[in-house]
Amino acid sequence: MTIAVTTAAKTLASYLIESLAAYGVDTVFGIPGVHTVELYRSLPDSGIRHVTPRHEQGAGFMADGYARASGRVGVCFTITGPGLTNIATAMAQAYGDSVPMLVISSVNARGRMGSGAGWLHELPNQQAFAREVSAFSQTILTPEDLPVALARAFAIFASARPRPVHIEIPMDVMALDAGALAAVKPQAIPAPPMAAPEALAQAATLLGKARRPLILAGGGAIAAGSELTALAEKLSAPVVSTVNGRGLLPQDHPLNLSASPSIEAVRELMKAADCILAVGTECGPTDYDMYVTGYPKLAARFIRLDIDPEQAMRGFMPDLALIGAAQPSLAALLPLIAPAAPRDHGALPALRSRIRAELPAILQAGCAVVEEIRDTLPDLPIVGDSTQAVYGANLDYAAPAPRLYFGSATGFGTLGYALPAAIGATLATGRPALALCGDGGLQFTLPELAVARELNLPLIVLIWNNSGYREIKTSMIDMGVEPIGVDIFTPDFAALAEGFGCAVIRAEKRSDLPALLRAAVARGGPSVIEITEDVVVENA
């Protein structure tokens, strides 16, 4: 393939790099390809760090973890065709969990894209494909299109439900002269919206009359932890947090109930409430009906605060909808609430014990492992894949602060997320992070260990090894299906990790974990700790 050499003083690709830096982007995840070479021309002098994953799906998961750990936008570069189809799974996970992600892809030149002639990497309609997993997808056909597309994207990230945005640039357009464009500067980004004052006043009245108020909090409240805590204390109302809302209240706060609304004991609390305020939670089935037994039955007046008006009408139908971002809306609601007389919450400790007892033994053991990690390294982000320890923690785990526990086992529910997402979290914060993986899920993205070694990241990979897809095997048996396809070959993870240049440790019993975790952090660089499920359960 012949690649044209540009003579423009400032190409549109260079303008893009300057624009990203102006919007505060400091890291881009991408695998260079012949269709994206022009994007890299001015990258070395931009101050933006480039990280090369080993697969485009890994790039998307890294950007996702970067965004969740920091609250900043995760940015990816990817090539035409297979680069975009590879990253689509990560975009879908971010779409389901409302994660801000900007995916910049190339596309075939104008006149070639979608031609059906068989150009390299050609898709029939790349934009239509990307549109299914993004807030919007736009093709840049002229230099003037780019600053508008970026402004739209960052407006969504800042002041709407944050989901991936896809911008594709034809190869010939990347090299166009952008000298006539206005100087690079971020456009006026809208502030997060506040719920209407009239609606807030109605909510204050309903909450003020409640005798048994309850708050449900999700990932949409991630930036409003202090306001949510203050409101809970004013109302003397317990707070039930979904998976993406863990850590919004301090871990040991007496009103904190970090357990899933799918658990029967939590559902009883919801049923007993006379007024419920749901903040930033989509009220989706993977949080509220994990066992597919039907949504909880509520007798309460139901108030929903959500930035997305359409989402506010899904799940539980509200008696009152407050449309706005959590932080400014709760800040405006607080002065309208009169402090309630202290309520008797003496039953909450017993309720917490009931919640744990309701879980199967394997999930109780998983909760204990995650709590062991938290208690040993309380500032460590724990990034979960779909594995038993994560399933348990999703049902009953109190994170010490926001952004310190997240994963992919709800919403879209992809495998292979934890390792690359933990790499993104480490790059975002500059601190160690832990990827909690099953042996099956880890094999989806195992090559990303090379990135951790290449960058010498202080990353811990904890492998929960049950030698295959045991959860699916158990489900097959329970449904009377002969297990097939689940007893997969389990590689020697120690040998593989050593091949990637990582320190390798095997935990013989669960009580080994604290010392092993502390040693891994002290050592620096990436470490892999393997523990078998049978050992965890036997030592529970």
Side-chain angles (χ1 to χ4, degrees):
M1 170 178 286
T2 301
I3 301 174
V5 178
T6 182
T7 57
K10 178 184 289 187
T11 66
L12 188 65
S14 297
Y15 183 91
L16 168 66
I17 300 301
E18 290 183 27
S19 298
L20 292 176
Y23 276 105
V25 173
D26 62 11
T27 303
V28 167
F29 303 93
I31 302 174
V34 293
H35 281 196
T36 55
V37 168
E38 191 61 45
L39 291 178
Y40 288 81
R41 184 181 298 277
S42 58
L43 192 59
D45 299 322
S46 67
I48 296 175
R49 169 178 52 188
H50 183 272
V51 176
T52 307
R54 299 310 188 255
H55 189 280
E56 288 90 356
Q57 188 178 101
F61 288 150
M62 288 178 195
D64 180 302
Y66 176 99
R68 295 203 211 202
S70 67
R72 303 192 297 275
V73 180
V75 181
C76 300
F77 287 171
T78 189
I79 63 164
T80 319
L84 187 65
T85 58
N86 284 343
I87 204 173
T89 295
M91 292 174 68
Q93 184 71 49
Y95 186 94
D97 285 343
S98 303
V99 176
M101 180 189 297
L102 178 61
V103 176
I104 308 286
S105 81
S106 56
V107 68
N108 292 105
R110 292 171 296 180
R112 295 179 180 179
M113 66 176 93
S115 69
W119 293 100
L120 180 66
H121 302 330
E122 183 181 347
L123 276 174
N125 190 332
Q126 184 169 287
Q127 186 197 66
F129 175 84
R131 192 181 299 127
E132 295 302 309
V133 287
S134 58
F136 74 84
S137 174
Q138 182 174 343
T139 306
I140 304 302
L141 297 175
T142 70
E144 291 74 19
D145 293 341
L146 181 59
V148 177
L150 289 173
R152 289 177 62 204
F154 281 89
I156 285 175
F157 300 147
S159 56
R161 186 175 186 177
R163 280 174 155 163
V165 167
H166 169 244
I167 296 173
E168 64 178 14
I169 309 177
M171 291 176 64
D172 60 321
V173 174
M174 287 184 192
L176 291 181
D177 190 337
L181 292 179
V184 173
K185 65 176 181 179
Q187 304 301 312
I189 299 175
M194 187 186 81
E198 300 82 3
L200 290 169
Q202 292 178 55
T205 298
L206 291 173
L207 291 165
K209 292 179 179 178
R211 301 181 62 187
R212 296 178 303 282
L214 179 68
I215 297 173
L216 307 175
I222 199 74
S226 60
E227 290 83 3
L228 191 75
T229 302
L231 179 65
E233 291 171 349
K234 261 195 166 184
L235 293 170
S236 189
V239 177
V240 174
S241 56
T242 67
V243 174
N244 288 333
R246 299 292 166 83
L248 283 167
L249 261 65
Q251 173 187 332
D252 298 323
H253 196 288
L255 295 173
N256 186 27
L257 195 61
S258 292
S260 171
S262 293
I263 292 177
E264 189 57 38
V266 179
R267 289 175 165 223
E268 290 177 13
L269 183 69
M270 294 170 64
K271 186 177 180 180
D274 61 354
C275 188
I276 295 177
L277 172 64
V279 182
T281 168
E282 67 176 7
C283 297
T286 55
D287 277 309
Y288 291 82
D289 190 22
M290 188 70 185
Y291 299 113
V292 199
T293 57
Y295 267 59
K297 305 301 181 187
L298 305 178
R301 301 297 298 272
F302 201 82
I303 306 167
R304 288 189 70 167
L305 169 57
D306 202 288
I307 201 168
D308 184 347
E310 195 178 27
Q311 190 61 47
M313 297 299 151
R314 294 193 179 110
F316 298 104
M317 191 61 66
D319 297 292
L320 175 63
L322 311 176
I323 306 305
Q327 192 279 327
S329 299
L330 291 181
L333 178 62
L334 274 168
L336 307 180
I337 300 287
R343 306 180 202 275
D344 182 8
H345 296 299
L348 281 183
L351 181 63
R352 294 187 183 98
S353 298
R354 281 186 57 203
I355 290 166
R356 185 60 59 92
E358 191 177 316
L359 303 183
I362 186 65
L363 298 187
Q364 290 189 38
C367 290
V369 166
V370 180
E371 289 169 343
E372 196 96 67
I373 299 166
R374 175 200 65 197
D375 295 343
T376 304
L377 302 169
D379 296 327
L380 189 84
I382 300 172
V383 184
D385 219 305
S386 290
T387 192
Q388 297 285 18
V390 175
Y391 299 148
N394 284 355
L395 293 169
D396 184 24
Y397 170 69
R403 304 191 185 280
L404 291 183
Y405 179 78
F406 55 86
S408 63
T410 58
F412 195 61
T414 185
L415 278 165
Y417 172 87
L419 171 56
I423 290 172
T426 300
L427 290 167
T429 64
R431 303 195 313 271
L434 183 140
L436 181 53
C437 317
D439 58 291
L442 178 59
Q443 293 181 66
F444 279 51
T445 51
L446 182 63
E448 304 303 351
L449 272 178
V451 180
R453 177 67 274 171
E454 186 172 83
L455 302 178
N456 197 35
L457 299 179
L459 182 76
I460 303 172
V461 181
L462 179 58
I463 306 172
W464 175 286
N465 192 338
N466 58 20
S467 301
Y469 300 125
R470 189 175 294 186
E471 181 215 359
I472 308 304
K473 182 176 182 177
T474 301
S475 297
M476 285 179 164
I477 293 170
D478 290 345
M479 295 175 66
V481 175
E482 182 179 351
I484 186 170
V486 289
D487 292 316
I488 60 174
F489 173 76
T490 303
D492 184 337
F493 288 110
L496 287 169
E498 287 174 354
F500 280 110
C502 301
V504 179
I505 312 159
R506 186 178 182 87
E508 299 300 331
K509 51 187 180 299
R510 201 181 79 202
S511 59
D512 292 342
L513 274 179
L516 296 179
L517 291 167
R518 285 190 288 266
V521 170
R523 183 183 300 110
S527 298
V528 174
I529 301 173
E530 183 179 0
I531 188 166
T532 65
E533 183 176 287
D534 293 339
V535 164
V536 173
V537 176
E538 288 169 6
N539 288 269

